[in-house]
Amino acid sequence: MHLRLQISGPKGVGLFSPETLDELESMLGHKAIVLKEPQAQLGLGGVVNVFKTAQSLNMHLDIGDKDDSWDFLLLPYKPFDKSVLKIYKNEALWKIRRSHETFPRWSQMDYEDAVEFFNEISQVAGWPSTTGNPYGGGRENNSSLK
């Protein structure tokens, strides 16, 4: 039972599966943020807070689904995008919750930290309004002005 973390190579060429924190940080060229209660026996994804590392290093993060051979994929050549993660929030929270409750992959503190991360990105605004209305509802939102 592991939490697999992979990194895409430069310009999307190659996929790398670092085994240690030092190897990961060498590939990233920066320090990674670690979990509050790391569990090395679960693999690198059980040590690194991939959500906050991706955010702090401005790297795109993909969350694997049941058909992927990885759990987390960092794409250093693409910027961190809260709105994309917001789309996958429910799937990510389901995976985090399931791996916390069914398999002891996350400590209570790290589980709560991950849930908090996704709750924070949920506050990201949606698509900008084409009518200039900040609430995204266009003229329909201004019914009191009619």
Side-chain angles (χ1 to χ4, degrees), residues 26-41:
S26 175
M27 289 178 173
L28 295 176
H30 296 280
K31 290 279 187 195
I33 298 172
V34 296
L35 295 172
K36 292 175 181 171
E37 295 180 14
Q39 298 183 43
Q41 71 274 21

Side-chain angles (χ1 to χ4, degrees), residues 79-126:
F80 183 79
D81 187 347
K82 288 181 180 181
S83 60
V84 170
L85 278 179
K86 183 178 170 183
I87 294 169
Y88 297 109
K89 174 188 173 188
N90 289 339
E91 182 179 328
L93 285 176
W94 176 83
K95 186 172 200 167
I96 291 164
R97 189 172 298 116
R98 186 175 147 251
S99 64
H100 171 66
E101 293 172 355
T102 311
F103 312 107
R105 291 182 173 181
W106 303 80
S107 70
Q108 185 65 33
M109 286 173 43
D110 292 315
Y111 168 74
E112 290 169 2
D113 200 31
V115 170
E116 180 183 329
F117 172 84
F118 278 97
N119 286 335
E120 285 175 13
I121 67 168
S122 294
Q123 306 307 315
V124 175

Side-chain angles (χ1 to χ4, degrees), residues 46-64:
V47 174
V48 177
N49 185 329
V50 292
F51 310 113
K52 292 196 174 177
T53 296
Q55 184 177 34
S56 71
L57 298 180
N58 193 29
M59 293 181 180
H60 183 78
L61 172 64
D62 273 345
I63 299 167

Side-chain angles (χ1 to χ4, degrees), residues 11-12 30 42 60 66 104 129 141:
K11 299 181 183 174
H30 296 280
L42 301 178
H60 183 78
K66 65 180 190 262
S129 169
N141 241 0

Side-chain angles (χ1 to χ4, degrees), residues 3-6 15 17 64-72:
L3 284 169
R4 295 181 182 268
L5 171 61
Q6 291 191 324
L15 264 182
S17 300
D65 62 23
K66 65 180 190 262
D67 297 327
D68 292 317
S69 62
W70 45 270
D71 292 295
F72 307 106

